[in-house]
Amino acid sequence: MMAATLCGKLLPKQGWLPVTQSVRHGSKAVTRHRKPIHILKQKLLAVTKYVPPTPVVPKGAYPSERQEVKEESGFVLLLKRELKKLFQDYKMVAVAQNCNSNAEDMRILKHRLHRHGIAVKFFPNQVMCSFLSDSVYSNMAPLFIGPTVLFVSKEPKVKEMLTSLRSSPQMTLLGACIDNTLLSAQGVVSYSKLPSVSVVQGELVSGLAMMTAHTASMLQRHPAHLSALLQQYVKQQSSEEAPKAEEAT
Amino acid sequence: MAASSKSAVVLKAVKKIAVQFCPFESNVRSTREFLLFVGSEKARSTNMNCEVITTVKHDKSEPVVDVTFVDGERLLMKGAKLTTREMLSAFQSRCTAKDPQAKAGVKK
């Protein structure tokens, strides 16, 4: 730039060019401090400044209509898969709340339950609730508040579990899901008092057999006995109907 | 929660605490949290003789906390519409009211 202005004056003789030429001497564009902006540029910037539109309703006054869908992290998905497997494999899933049990108590309890084949599991409540609300077992969701422990076993060994829990005073049994049926604490206690399936089946069979055996024995007797019995029965029926008819009228 | 953990629960004047609730109801949260506070190690270490009995029911009844003090007074808290803080503050105020009396009486 300077070289161009020099041409007019400092070239007395033709073909003479200065040895050194200073280019851009003076104020720099890129400075280390904040260079004061030219007044015209300042005015332009002030006029064209961005003014955002003011919202009619201040932020946070109403809840947002769109619900933020948070993607679940890999750990949460892993836990959910485990829970799904848990509910499929294990027949008995019991929920208890432990106020305060130190590591020693937990160790003893785990050992006692392991002897009967009951496993002790811990899951975060949030994951548990979200899993349960999607699955069939949604009615179990209100149980999971505060520090909860899951006792799971493949065979429903309720009596042993109750005896081990009675020895640790700080565990409170809240409910259980046995064979896809939700039971309360009292339901669990009554379930433990039930006799086993084979015993119940035997009782049922014997009861039915008794009825048929009774009928068979009655038929095997003399038919006169049977006819006498039937006549008596008819008399009783008619005598019952007569007073009933009298009461009605 | 931070406000209630500042002053630990002192159970010296308490004889028995009976908590009953139905876990399938939705108004049970405050009672359960109260139980956690009262049944914690810190609280129980202040008085080893105090019994904390929990009853789990299933009859849609209201959650109730029944506290029996050493001098025979009973505090009944129906936790259906109370928050944990309210329950704890009421309980703690009564405990501290009874406790310094006993301590001051002993010192004198």
Side-chain angles (χ1 to χ4, degrees):
Chain A
M1 186 191 71
M2 282 293 200
T5 53
L6 279 172
C7 290
K9 291 183 193 171
L10 293 174
L11 297 175
K13 299 170 193 163
Q14 267 221 350
W16 185 83
L17 277 164
V19 178
T20 51
Q21 291 181 4
S22 55
V23 181
R24 282 200 275 189
H25 164 77
S27 57
K28 301 191 183 185
V30 178
T31 52
R32 288 180 194 189
H33 61 272
R34 273 264 153 89
K35 202 165 130 178
I37 310 175
H38 197 276
I39 185 65
L40 287 175
K41 189 171 177 185
Q42 240 178 339
K43 284 183 184 175
L44 192 71
L45 283 175
V47 165
T48 57
K49 198 161 184 181
Y50 173 64
V51 177
T54 49
V56 177
V57 181
K59 266 190 181 177
Y62 297 112
S64 60
E65 288 169 1
R66 280 172 275 156
Q67 276 177 345
E68 279 184 29
V69 180
K70 270 192 181 174
E71 242 192 51
E72 287 168 352
S73 66
F75 183 53
V76 172
L77 287 170
L78 182 82
L79 285 172
K80 284 200 171 173
R81 256 181 278 150
E82 257 204 58
L83 275 168
K84 205 169 161 182
K85 231 181 9 169
L86 201 112
F87 273 101
Q88 277 171 353
D89 294 338
Y90 294 98
K91 270 199 194 170
M92 177 180 90
V93 177
V95 183
Q97 177 176 331
N98 55 332
C99 287
N100 56 327
S101 29
N102 40 359
E104 186 66 36
D105 293 334
M106 279 309 291
R107 194 169 64 87
I108 296 171
L109 185 69
K110 270 192 189 176
H111 174 67
R112 274 210 200 114
L113 290 172
H114 188 68
R115 257 193 278 164
H116 300 297
I118 305 175
V120 181
K121 299 260 180 194
F122 296 90
F123 284 102
N125 279 348
Q126 267 186 356
V127 168
M128 195 79 203
C129 283
S130 71
F131 171 77
L132 287 176
S133 52
D134 291 330
S135 77
V136 189
Y137 312 94
S138 52
N139 289 327
M140 274 176 88
L143 289 177
F144 291 94
I145 296 177
T148 45
V149 195
L150 277 180
F151 300 113
V152 294
S153 75
K154 294 214 172 150
E155 300 298 315
K157 297 208 167 156
V158 186
K159 252 188 238 176
E160 292 90 1
M161 188 183 77
L162 283 173
T163 41
S164 338
L165 283 178
R166 232 177 279 157
S167 57
S168 56
Q170 54 264 33
M171 290 271 190
T172 2
L173 181 69
L174 300 166
C177 174
I178 304 179
D179 283 336
N180 285 335
T181 22
L182 191 56
L183 296 168
S184 67
Q186 286 142 353
V188 169
V189 171
S190 44
Y191 182 90
S192 68
K193 292 186 186 151
L194 282 177
S196 67
V197 181
S198 48
V199 170
V200 173
Q201 278 174 347
E203 275 183 16
L204 187 71
V205 166
S206 67
L208 288 169
M210 197 178 75
M211 300 285 278
T212 50
H214 201 66
T215 343
S217 67
M218 212 162 67
L219 289 169
Q220 270 173 3
R221 278 196 186 176
H222 206 263
H225 188 76
L226 186 62
S227 56
L229 276 171
L230 287 168
Q231 272 180 353
Q232 182 75 18
Y233 183 67
V234 167
K235 263 193 216 170
Q236 270 182 344
Q237 284 280 356
S238 54
S239 61
E240 270 174 21
E241 274 174 20
K244 272 187 193 168
E246 278 177 23
E247 279 171 22
T249 52
Chain B
M1 293 297 159
S4 28
S5 62
K6 272 185 205 167
S7 49
V9 187
V10 180
L11 294 175
K12 289 219 166 82
V14 179
K15 196 164 143 195
K16 192 175 97 165
I17 303 178
V19 184
Q20 72 178 51
F21 60 90
C22 169
F24 290 97
E25 295 286 311
S26 49
N27 52 2
V28 152
R29 195 184 193 103
S30 54
T31 318
R32 274 174 83 164
E33 285 172 3
F34 179 80
L35 173 68
L36 281 175
F37 268 107
V38 152
S40 67
E41 283 288 343
K42 250 199 259 179
R44 286 213 292 177
S45 60
T46 56
N47 184 0
M48 296 308 281
N49 298 330
C50 173
E51 308 162 0
V52 180
I53 303 166
T54 325
T55 333
V56 176
K57 289 195 183 168
H58 193 49
D59 47 4
K60 292 195 189 177
S61 58
E62 286 185 8
V64 165
V65 177
D66 187 1
V67 185
T68 318
F69 289 98
V70 166
D71 49 6
E73 200 188 304
R74 270 182 71 186
L75 170 67
L76 194 76
M77 289 196 276
K78 297 198 180 161
K81 306 273 183 180
L82 293 170
T83 64
T84 324
R85 257 191 220 177
E86 285 170 7
M87 289 168 86
L88 264 174
S89 65
F91 179 65
Q92 266 176 0
S93 60
R94 281 187 181 71
C95 274
T96 45
K98 289 180 196 280
D99 208 23
Q101 281 173 12
K103 274 188 187 167
V106 163
K107 275 181 195 171
K108 282 178 188 170

